Every structure is written in C-alpha cells, then in structure tokens.
C-alpha cells in the first residue's frame, strides 16, 4: 500500500502556506536566460559549482537512482532510490527532508515532475508507474506496464509528462513498448511499438510536437506525438546505446550519453542529424546510464561518471571546465537548478544525494 510521511516540523507556516509556496526571491529572479546559439552561450552566466552546500547521506538504502528539481522555481528537490522510496527536500532555505513517499515493492528507476510541479511520476522495477500529489503525498494513480497485452515481467524504465498536456504521459518499457497514458481515464490510449530492445529514455522537443526515444537496440527513434509511426530512425553501425538524453534549454540540440564514454550531440531541426564536431569526452560511463544535465542558460553541460566524479564542459568549446570527486560510487544522475545557474544536484549508487553551488 502507498504511504507518505511528512518530515517537516509543520505542514503550514504561520501564513498558512505549504512547502509548495515559491520563495519571493526566486520569483523575483525570473527565468534564466536561455542561450541557444553559440555566441550567446559564450557569455552566459552559469558556472560550475565550487563547494558542497548540503549532503543527504544515506538518503536511499541500496543507492539513489535519480534527482529532479521542481520545474520553474527549483525550490524543491526530488530523489528516488533502490529502496523503493521517493524523497522531497527543501532546496532553498532549510535544505531539510520534507516528505517521503513509499508505494513500490522494488527500486524506483526514474522520477519526473509534471510541468506545474504539483504532481510527479515514479517508475519502478515492480512494473508500476505511480502518480503522486507533491503537496499531500497521496498516490492518485497506478499504471501497470503489462496492462495492454504486454504480458508479465515488463517494467517502466522512464516516464515523461507531455509538456503541453499534463494529463498525458509516456512510459518507456523494458519490453520495447512506449505506452501513452491518460491520467483522467486511467487507461492507456496509444502504443508506440517499433523498438527492438528496452526503451531507456524519452525526450520531448519541438514544442511537444515530437519526441525522441532511445533503446538498448542502439537506435534513437523520432516520433510525432500521438502518431505511433517512426518519422526518423537514427541508426549507425558505429553507434552505441545511448540510455540518457538531455535537451538543450534552447531546444535546438539533444545531448545523448553514449556507452563509448562520450556525450554526442544531435540537432533537432527538420533533419535530425549528429553534430560530428561537438563531442564531450573524458569521463568513464561505459555500462552506466548517467543522466547529463544542462545549466539553465545552456552554457555548461554536466554529467556524473562510473567513478563517482562529476564533469562539467563548456557547451561552446566542449572543453572540460571542472571535474571533481563527488561520490564513492557511480554518480548516476545530475540536475541543474532552473533559476540559480551555479547550483547542481547529484546522486549516486552510494545512496547519497548532494547539493553543490
């Protein structure tokens, strides 16, 4: 059964506001400048973090799997782990654990906020993607991977809300399918079924009109949202599996973590093609789906690696601008604060979640 625990001293402050209230200073900051072209990225304001702001040691028994800042404001941080739990932290003032969410019998592979941050999805090896209310901790939906003729044993590797419609999300499954769910009807409405291996990542782009999926079959496939026919197959004999993908804030580029120890870049124009001259390298990730992340202005790209280090590259030159030992085991995920361009969250198989600035 699903359960939740509030760890904050009180549910509401003296003005009756919950932790969902965005602090005034973050509202006044506005959104970060999103530099899309090469020239503006050169003078953007983000910089690699230089010190550890907070460590939540032992946040997840058995290892952490993902971290996500709440969209737009970034004042809350969500993490998931192999203990089947999802945890919510204050990322602005107290830096304390606020709430924990439990409802999975096996480890949680992936988490994803709705565009407004008021709910989120957790995808688990137990075969369920669950929908949670961020504020109350209530589980408002459970979606089984084997619901529509998929058979037993399938589990969701990734789930993403459609940015243009928070009532619809996609789940990429271990049995090669991508299932589209409607949270109001509590049923699957469409299947995208052309991959030959487990689906590992889903990334919307082009104002949510298209999305790209990557798979263990060592291909990337581009789909028009709502139409289950591949419109572009990205495959090459020299390509490796790319289990983690990040969209540049400007929307024109995709950065894909390749299992040959590189991050490769694809343009998102009408003809999606690799950017051969822009490759980010130096880190060791072969065999590990380390999630890369862009600074909110797009000027810096960050990624963890198999040795627990975090790497930061300049987007324009692809040069390494910072690297440091952050964790004792694989640094499996990173996420950049959407408003404060020098703050970065990372998590690791050592069970810790760390917050840098």
């Amino acid at each position: 059964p699903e359960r939740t625990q509030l760890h904050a001293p009180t549910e509401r402050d003296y003005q009756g506001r919950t932790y969902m209230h965005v602090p005034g200073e973050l509202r006044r900051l506005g959104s970060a400048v999103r530099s899309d072209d090469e020239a503006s990225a050169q003078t953007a304001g983000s910089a690699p973090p230089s010190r550890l702001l907070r460590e939540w040691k032992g946040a997840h028994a058995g290892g952490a799997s993902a971290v996500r800042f709440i969209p737009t404001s970034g004042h809350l941080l969500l993490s998931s782990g192999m203990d089947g739990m999802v945890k919510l932290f204050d990322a602005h003032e107290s830096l304390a654990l606020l709430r924990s969410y439990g409802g999975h019998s096996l480890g949680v592979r992936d988490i994803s906020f709705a565009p407004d941050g008021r709910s989120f999805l957790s995808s688990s090896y137990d075969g369920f993607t669950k929908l949670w209310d961020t504020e109350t901790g209530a589980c408002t939906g459970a979606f089984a991977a084997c619901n529509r003729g998929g058979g037993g044993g399938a589990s969701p590797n990734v789930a993403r809300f459609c940015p243009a419609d928070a009532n619809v999300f996609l789940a990429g499954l271990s049995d090669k399918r991508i299932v589209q769910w409607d949270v109001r009807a509590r049923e699957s409405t469409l299947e995208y079924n052309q991959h030959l291996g487990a689906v590992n990542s889903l990334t919307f782009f082009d104002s949510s009109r298209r999305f790209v999926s990557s798979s263990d079959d060592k291909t990337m496939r581009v789909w028009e949202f709502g139409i289950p026919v591949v419109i572009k197959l990205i495959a090459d004999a020299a390509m490796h599996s790319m289990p983690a993908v990040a969209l540049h804030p400007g929307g024109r580029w995709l950065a894909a973590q390749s299992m040959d120890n590189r991050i490769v870049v694809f343009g998102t124009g009408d003809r999606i093609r690799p950017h051969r001259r822009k490759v980010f390298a130096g880190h060791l990730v072969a065999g590990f789906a380390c999630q890369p992340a862009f600074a909110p202005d797009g000027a810096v790209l960050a990624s963890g690696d198999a040795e627990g280090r975090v790497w930061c590259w300049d987007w324009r030159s692809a040069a390494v601008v910072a690297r440091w030992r952050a964790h004792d085991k694989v640094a499996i995920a990173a996420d950049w604060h959407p408003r404060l361009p020098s703050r970065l969250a990372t998590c690791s198989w050592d069970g810790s979640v760390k917050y840098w600035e």
Side-chain angles (χ1 to χ4, degrees), residues 5-9 19 54 56 59-60 77 79 86-90 94-101:
Q5 181 180 353
L6 180 70
H7 301 279
Y19 53 65
R54 180 75 159 86
W56 294 283
H60 295 280
L77 178 68
S79 72
V86 178
K87 296 187 176 181
L88 185 72
F89 303 93
D90 184 332
S94 69
L95 306 185
L97 174 63
L98 297 176
R99 187 180 284 277
S100 55
Y101 312 78

Side-chain angles (χ1 to χ4, degrees), residues 179-296:
V179 180
Q180 183 172 314
W181 293 89
D182 188 308
V183 301
R184 296 161 296 190
R186 299 286 192 272
E187 63 180 24
S188 60
T189 57
L190 199 61
E191 285 189 6
Y192 307 79
N193 192 5
Q194 293 194 23
H195 274 294
L196 305 176
V199 179
N200 295 318
S201 77
L202 298 167
T203 309
F204 282 93
F205 64 98
D206 191 18
S207 301
S208 305
R209 288 189 289 267
R210 293 181 289 167
F211 69 91
V212 63
S213 57
S214 68
S215 166
D216 283 351
D217 63 14
K218 299 184 181 180
T219 68
M220 295 175 72
R221 294 172 196 246
V222 183
W223 316 74
E224 210 167 298
F225 181 63
I227 302 175
V229 178
V230 171
I231 59 174
K232 171 76 173 181
L233 171 64
I234 305 170
D236 187 281
M239 270 178 61
H240 292 252
S241 177
M242 292 176 283
V245 178
L247 178 67
H248 188 277
R252 288 177 51 197
W253 306 100
L254 293 163
Q257 189 79 263
S258 177
M259 291 295 92
D260 58 352
N261 300 318
R262 302 184 304 154
I263 296 177
V264 295
V265 175
F266 296 86
T268 61
D270 292 336
R271 297 185 63 190
I272 294 178
R273 60 176 70 185
H275 191 322
R276 303 286 184 189
R277 297 191 304 276
K278 192 180 285 290
V279 175
F280 302 87
H283 60 324
L284 182 66
V285 289
F288 301 94
C290 297
Q291 178 64 47
F294 280 103

Side-chain angles (χ1 to χ4, degrees), residues 119-121 128-133 138-145 147-148 161 166-169 179-190:
S119 59
F120 67 87
L121 296 165
F128 285 92
T129 297
K130 295 193 174 183
L131 178 66
W132 304 84
D133 186 296
C139 179
T140 57
F143 307 89
N147 179 56
R148 196 169 169 178
F161 281 101
N167 293 306
V168 177
F169 73 88
V179 180
Q180 183 172 314
W181 293 89
D182 188 308
V183 301
R184 296 161 296 190
R186 299 286 192 272
E187 63 180 24
S188 60
T189 57
L190 199 61

